[in-house]
């Protein structure tokens, strides 16, 4: 009895026919893999979003080749270069080992100091020179022709030759007498530099002759800024008291004095487009504009930045002022009004305070909404910065602000957003974002398309207590309803279009404690709420009736619902995570391992992974089908928020005291990664946060080599166990069509025989001799010669037949079987047909072939090949087998062996099919 070949189609696994296989080898391989893993196997740092400037002053350069101005701002360990004309990002530099502490630039290179080292960057990107020699941190840089001057905090001044990187001159100052705080190269003063000190005095040095030319006594106040005026010999000196001194250094004469009451002068710049105007920055974010002819203050640019003015520069011969500050903003102001007041022309701005919440917006995975402690709600694009936009500050009464034209809106601004929910389904019709604010009862609505706060503040009317705040929000998938949970335990439903209250869950309140989370399923049938008292409740969304209640082991902290799969994730106060199925309302998974409060969670788009971030500075990835931890890595700053892209390509995170959003690429999309469970004693390693430049791509490709090696380290044997029936790895084309070869050959037979060409042969046979003569065709004159060829006499034995004859002696058939495996279907048929005595074989060779099939069935290997080869053998030689007693006895034993194996397999098939049918039809 043979196995039907169609039954075996697609089987690439092994069927157990005895005891269960031990997993000791696989466990050992898992341990070795986990020991080798040094970083995250699933996520690699890609880039950072939302960084534009910090407290380091910017640098303005003019490109003579392109006739354009470029502004360079520092963003931590790298710097950005923008085109001033459109303020578009031109280049991002490579990262340096430490945070940049000061910058400078000339016409060709950009210089950036980090620690006691500074480097020169070419093409705004790559390091071409590095200068080492300082022992303290460098805080001043001054280009000086083919040289560069650097000053550290110990007041050691070194002059370097740029291209040879050699030290030209070193000057050492006593910090207690003259601590350098500012440096300037006065115009037309050859080989001379002017140094300002914290003690108030100034010194003019000739660096070529290494001589002190003159010492200015100063004004007994520390010098904070030095700037060359448009006039020769005149410089502007900014002091700690807020004074600006216009001084002639040639005659040591003070021309004029100005004073600002906003603190020390941070930076100074002069207009060069024909207007005698000087701008001075302050630590309050205000800018004072002074008329040098009338010697008076002509305008105040208040709140130009929310933090100190780090740098301000008037572009040469243009009415444009470039400013930057530690509020993560770069702004360009234009002075085209009659009163000389500057108006904002272009800007690039991120959050000025750490983030409170981030979420992907939309289904394309290209926009990330982020709320910050500065009270703004912004959208950052993962594609290009030109798609970024700010939804602005939340205002308590926007109409009143517009009507009265309030300049200082700090008093009417809403507190920072703590949580928000967004849905783009009806964004073109009405507001699609709902947000709750810190310490506020009312929740604000926002319109993403209009980039502004909405028209409604949603709050219950009958609320007497003032200490009640909104703690949880959610918006339905249709975008029509918002569900808001309060600290009093009340859960209300509002209409997003009209802002009307549409009911509450429960009689008086939904929970006895504060509401920690609300969620609505994808069909608006079920609402899930959880409270601080440790209860999880399921409500009917339409009639607000309680359906079911589940008691939790600890008070919940965060709740997250994956609408497509109906999986609910709960982070508890005991640092554990519970996963529930909202259909069965039962806990299906429980995870523990975090050593700190869980701040946020995110599901992968397919619902297979749950990613959690906690205060223990770890981000863990849990595999829900297996219930295991498959990835974990540490960060140098605790993650506050995580959000997975709807397309699954990026993981976005925000961190404590960080102003930006960090993107991590999903390695499993473009590389083979191991999803093996991590052991209980696994110690994760610290991963550095990605920078604004995508330089981590090279490192990622190197790191992913180990996980891919990890996948192929365990070499599976050809047969896991002798009691398992194992199939071969050959494709179906090698064995499936052996019985139908005659039909296939008949279909492939040509319709017409090939035609012999009528042309003469290229070489015509001739008879050797002096005179060339054509050779006559040979004729067979023997009439008794038979035309029937005896194939048995002419046929030569193939290697397969020889190996079968050897198998009768040594009982080894592996070589013969390998020869058949390497042959195609036609070759296999030819070999089996040649086994008969009529075609050059013998009965002994046929007996050896049957013994080989018996050996394959005994070893339970290449099961489908044994069935296919045996079926073809019976088809070719079935008429001959009864006439040979030896072959008949062998085939009888083989028949019982095949029937026994197939009976066992058939019982396993039937058992599996019964279980599958039960799972499909039974109501669990």
């Amino acid at each position: 009895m043979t196995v039907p070949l169609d039954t075996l189609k697609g089987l690439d696994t092994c069927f157990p026919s005895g005891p269960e296989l031990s997993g000791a080898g696989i466990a050992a391989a898992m341990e070795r893999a986990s020991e080798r893993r040094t970083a995250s196997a699933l996520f690699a740092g890609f880039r950072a979003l939302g960084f534009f400037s910090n407290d380091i002053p910017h640098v303005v350069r003019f490109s003579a080749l392109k006739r354009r101005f470029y502004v360079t701002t520092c963003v931590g360990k790298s710097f950005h270069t923008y085109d001033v004309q459109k303020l578009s990002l031109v280049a991002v530099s490579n990262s340096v080992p430490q945070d940049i502490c000061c910058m400078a630039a000339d016409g060709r290179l950009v210089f950036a100091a980090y620690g006691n080292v500074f480097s020169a960057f070419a093409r705004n990107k790559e390091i071409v020179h590095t200068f080492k020699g300082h022992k303290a941190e460098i805080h001043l840089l001054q280009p000086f022709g083919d040289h560069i001057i650097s000053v550290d905090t110990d007041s050691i001044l070194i002059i370097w030759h740029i291209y040879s990187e050699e030290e030209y001159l070193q000057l050492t100052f006593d910090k207690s007498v003259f601590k350098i705080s500012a440096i300037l190269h006065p115009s037309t003063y050859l080989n001379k530099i002017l140094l300002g000190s914290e003690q108030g005095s100034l010194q003019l040095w000739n660096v070529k002759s290494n001589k002190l030319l003159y010492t200015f006594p100063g004004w007994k106040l520390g010098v904070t800024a030095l700037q060359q005026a448009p006039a020769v010999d005149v410089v502007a000196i900014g002091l700690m008291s807020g004074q600006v001194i216009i001084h002639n250094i040639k005659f040591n004469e003070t021309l004029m004095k100005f004073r600002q009451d906003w603190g020390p002068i941070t930076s100074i710049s002069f207009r060069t487009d024909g207007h005698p105007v000087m701008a001075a920055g302050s630590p309050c974010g205000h800018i004072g504009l002074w008329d040098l002819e009338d010697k008076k203050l002509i305008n105040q640019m208040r709140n130009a930045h929310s933090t100190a003015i780090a740098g301000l520069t008037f572009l040469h011969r243009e009415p444009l002022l470039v400013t930057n500050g530690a509020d993560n903003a770069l702004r360009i102001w234009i002075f085209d009004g009659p009163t000389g007041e500057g108006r904002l022309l272009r800007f690039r701005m991120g959050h000025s305070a750490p983030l409170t919440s981030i979420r992907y917006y939309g289904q394309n995975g290209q926009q990330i909404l982020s709320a910050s402690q500065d009270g703004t709600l912004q959208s950052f694009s993962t594609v290009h910065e030109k798609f970024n936009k700010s939804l602005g500050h939340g205002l308590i009464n926007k109409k009143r602000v517009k009507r009265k034209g309030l300049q200082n809106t700090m008093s009417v601004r809403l507190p920072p957003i703590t949580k928000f929910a967004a849905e783009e389904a009806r964004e073109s019709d009405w507001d699609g974002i709902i947000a709750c604010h810190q310490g506020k009862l009312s929740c604000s609505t926002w319109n993403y398309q209009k980039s502004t706060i909405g028209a409604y503040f949603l709050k219950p009317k009958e609320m007497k207590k003032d200490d009640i705040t909104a703690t949880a929000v959610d918006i339905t998938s249709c975008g029509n309803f918002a569900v808001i949970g309060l600290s009093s335990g009340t859960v209300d439903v509002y209409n997003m279009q009209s802002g009307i209250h549409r009911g509450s869950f429960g009689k008086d309140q939904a929970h006895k404690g504060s509401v920690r989370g609300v969620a609505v399923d994808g069909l608006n049938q079920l609402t899930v709420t959880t409270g601080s008292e440790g209860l999880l409740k399921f409500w009917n969304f339409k009639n607000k009736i309680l359906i079911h209640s589940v008691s939790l082991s600890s008070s919940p902290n965060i709740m997250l619902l994956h609408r497509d799969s109906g999986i609910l994730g709960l982070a508890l106060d005991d640092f554990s995570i519970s996963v529930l199925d909202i259909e069965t309302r039962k806990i299906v998974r429980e995870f523990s391992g975090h050593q700190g409060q869980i701040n946020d969670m995110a599901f992968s788009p397919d619902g297979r992974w749950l990613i959690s971030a906690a205060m223990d500075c770890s981000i863990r990835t849990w595999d829900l089908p297996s219930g295991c931890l498959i990835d974990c890595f540490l960060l140098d700053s605790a993650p506050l928020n995580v959000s997975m892209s709807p397309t699954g390509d990026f993981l976005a995170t925000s961190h404590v005291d960080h102003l930006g959003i960090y993107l991590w690429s999903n390695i499993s999309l473009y590389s083979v990664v191991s999803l093996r469970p991590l052991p209980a004693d696994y110690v994760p390693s610290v991963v550095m946060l990605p920078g604004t430049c995508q330089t981590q791509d090279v490192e990622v490709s190197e790191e992913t080599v180990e996980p891919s090696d990890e996948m192929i380290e365990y070499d599976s044997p050809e047969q896991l166990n002798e009691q398992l029936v194992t199939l071969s790895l050959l494709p179906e084309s090698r064995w499936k069509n052996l019985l139908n070869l005659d039909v296939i050959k008949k279909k492939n037979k040509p319709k017409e025989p090939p035609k012999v060409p009528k042309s003469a042969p290229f070489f015509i046979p001739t008879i050797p001799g002096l005179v060339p003569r054509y050779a006559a065709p040979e004729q067979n004159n023997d009439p008794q010669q038979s035309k029937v060829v005896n194939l048995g006499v002419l046929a030569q034995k193939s290697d397969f037949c020889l190996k079968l004859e050897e198998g009768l002696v040594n009982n080894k058939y592996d070589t013969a079987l390998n020869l058949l495996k390497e042959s195609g279907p036609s070759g296999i048929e030819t070999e089996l047909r040649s086994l008969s005595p009529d075609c050059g074989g013998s009965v002994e060779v046929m007996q050896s072939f049957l013994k080989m099939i018996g050996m394959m069935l005994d070893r339970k290997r290449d099961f489908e090949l044994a069935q296919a080869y045996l079926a073809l053998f019976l088809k070719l030689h079935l008429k001959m087998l009864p006439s040979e007693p030896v072959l008949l006895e062998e085939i009888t034993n083989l028949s019982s062996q095949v029937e026994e194996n197939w009976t066992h397999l058939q019982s396993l098939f039937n058992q599996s099919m019964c279980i599958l049918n039960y799972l499909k039809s039974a109501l669990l």
Side-chain angles (χ1 to χ4, degrees), residues 842-896:
S842 63
V843 177
E844 289 76 12
V845 176
M846 298 177 70
Q847 181 185 5
S848 179
F849 176 81
L850 294 177
K851 287 182 178 293
M852 183 188 74
I853 299 297
M855 179 269 297
M856 297 171 65
L857 296 176
D858 287 338
R859 294 164 58 180
K860 295 183 173 61
R861 290 175 55 179
D862 303 321
F863 189 77
E864 82 280 21
L865 294 185
Q867 302 293 329
Y869 295 162
L870 181 58
L872 181 58
F873 180 83
L874 294 177
K875 178 182 177 181
L876 297 176
H877 309 295
L878 184 60
K879 296 181 180 179
M880 180 185 173
L881 293 179
S883 61
E884 298 293 339
V886 179
L887 299 180
L888 186 60
E889 181 183 359
E890 194 69 37
I891 200 66
T892 304
N893 297 334
L894 199 58
S895 177
S896 60

Side-chain angles (χ1 to χ4, degrees), residues 14 254 256 520 682 760:
C14 301
T254 300
M256 58 190 78
V520 184
Y682 175 72

Side-chain angles (χ1 to χ4, degrees), residues 349-455:
M349 180 181 66
H351 288 292
S352 60
L355 308 185
T356 57
S357 181
I358 62 171
R359 286 292 180 268
Y360 268 93
Y361 182 78
Q363 296 301 318
N364 57 4
Q366 296 180 359
Q367 298 291 336
I368 301 177
L369 280 175
S370 63
S372 169
Q373 294 178 7
D374 60 7
T376 61
L377 183 65
Q378 298 191 31
S379 172
F380 294 98
S381 172
T382 60
V383 179
H384 198 277
E385 287 185 348
K386 66 181 180 180
F387 300 115
N388 295 353
K389 63 179 181 179
S390 174
L391 279 70
H393 287 271
L395 301 177
I396 297 177
N397 194 332
K398 193 167 83 171
K399 293 182 179 178
R400 177 172 171 267
V401 172
K402 282 187 176 182
R403 184 171 62 253
K404 294 190 175 183
L406 296 178
Q407 296 294 329
N408 187 8
T409 60
M410 297 296 294
S411 59
V412 294
R413 286 182 178 177
L414 288 170
I417 295 173
T418 55
K419 293 181 180 179
F420 67 87
E423 181 59 49
E424 65 170 354
R426 305 301 293 268
E427 66 172 5
S428 59
D429 299 325
W430 51 75
D431 301 339
I433 303 172
I434 179 76
C436 55
H437 298 262
Q438 181 179 348
K440 293 286 290 184
L441 172 62
S442 59
C443 292
S444 59
T445 61
W446 300 73
N447 194 299
Y448 183 84
Q449 204 170 52
K450 297 179 181 178
S451 302
T452 181
I453 191 171

Side-chain angles (χ1 to χ4, degrees), residues 87-131:
L87 212 56
S88 57
L89 184 63
V90 175
V92 178
S93 73
N94 295 334
S95 298
V96 294
Q98 304 178 36
D99 287 342
I100 297 175
C101 48
C102 65
M103 291 194 309
D106 58 13
R108 293 161 292 183
L109 301 174
V110 176
F111 303 93
Y114 46 96
N116 57 356
V117 181
F118 71 97
S119 299
F121 292 78
R123 293 176 291 277
N124 300 313
K125 186 174 183 64
E126 55 192 23
I127 297 177
V128 292
H129 302 290
T130 301
F131 305 88

Side-chain angles (χ1 to χ4, degrees), residues 485-507:
L486 306 179
S487 59
S488 61
T490 305
V491 179
D492 300 304
V493 180
Y494 297 87
N495 187 284
M496 289 293 294
Q497 182 182 9
S498 60
I500 299 175
H501 184 265
R502 293 299 186 186
S504 303
F505 293 95
K507 293 183 180 180

Side-chain angles (χ1 to χ4, degrees), residues 569-741:
L570 284 168
L572 307 181
D573 285 343
D574 60 357
F575 310 151
S576 65
I577 299 175
S578 298
V579 181
L580 291 89
D581 184 0
I582 63 174
E583 293 294 333
T584 60
R585 304 182 185 94
K586 294 181 180 179
I587 296 178
V588 293
R589 292 288 185 272
E590 289 184 346
F591 303 116
S592 60
H594 281 292
Q595 304 299 322
Q597 175 186 337
I598 300 174
N599 294 326
D600 200 4
M601 298 186 300
F603 282 103
S604 61
D606 56 2
R608 293 182 63 89
W609 297 345
L610 177 62
I611 305 165
S612 57
M615 289 302 294
D616 58 3
C617 296
S618 69
I619 294 180
R620 298 173 182 255
T621 304
W622 312 87
D623 187 63
L624 296 182
S626 63
C628 299
L629 176 67
I630 59 174
D631 187 63
C632 177
F633 62 97
L634 297 177
L635 299 160
D636 54 1
S637 179
L640 287 178
N641 299 278
V642 290
S643 182
M644 193 73 178
S645 168
T647 57
D649 50 356
F650 290 113
L651 174 71
T653 63
S654 67
H655 301 265
V656 174
D657 296 333
H658 284 257
L659 306 182
I661 300 172
Y662 297 91
L663 292 182
W664 307 80
S665 59
N666 187 355
I667 302 178
S668 64
L669 294 183
Y670 54 84
S671 178
V672 179
V673 298
S674 171
L675 297 182
R676 298 192 181 112
L678 298 180
D681 57 348
Y682 175 72
V683 179
S685 60
V686 179
V687 180
M688 298 301 296
L689 292 173
T692 55
C693 181
Q694 302 173 15
T695 55
Q696 289 81 4
D697 294 345
V698 178
E699 300 175 4
V700 168
S701 61
E702 295 175 357
E703 291 176 1
T704 53
V705 173
E706 287 191 3
S708 59
D709 291 343
E710 183 180 309
M711 294 296 294
I712 63 175
E713 179 189 1
Y714 176 72
D715 188 11
S716 178
E718 294 184 3
Q719 189 175 20
L720 298 178
N721 192 278
E722 294 180 356
Q723 297 179 346
L724 296 179
V725 175
T726 308
L727 305 182
S728 70
L729 299 178
L730 293 181
E732 292 181 352
S733 58
R734 293 287 188 90
W735 55 269
K736 185 178 179 181
N737 298 319
L738 288 178
L739 296 178
N740 303 320
L741 276 179

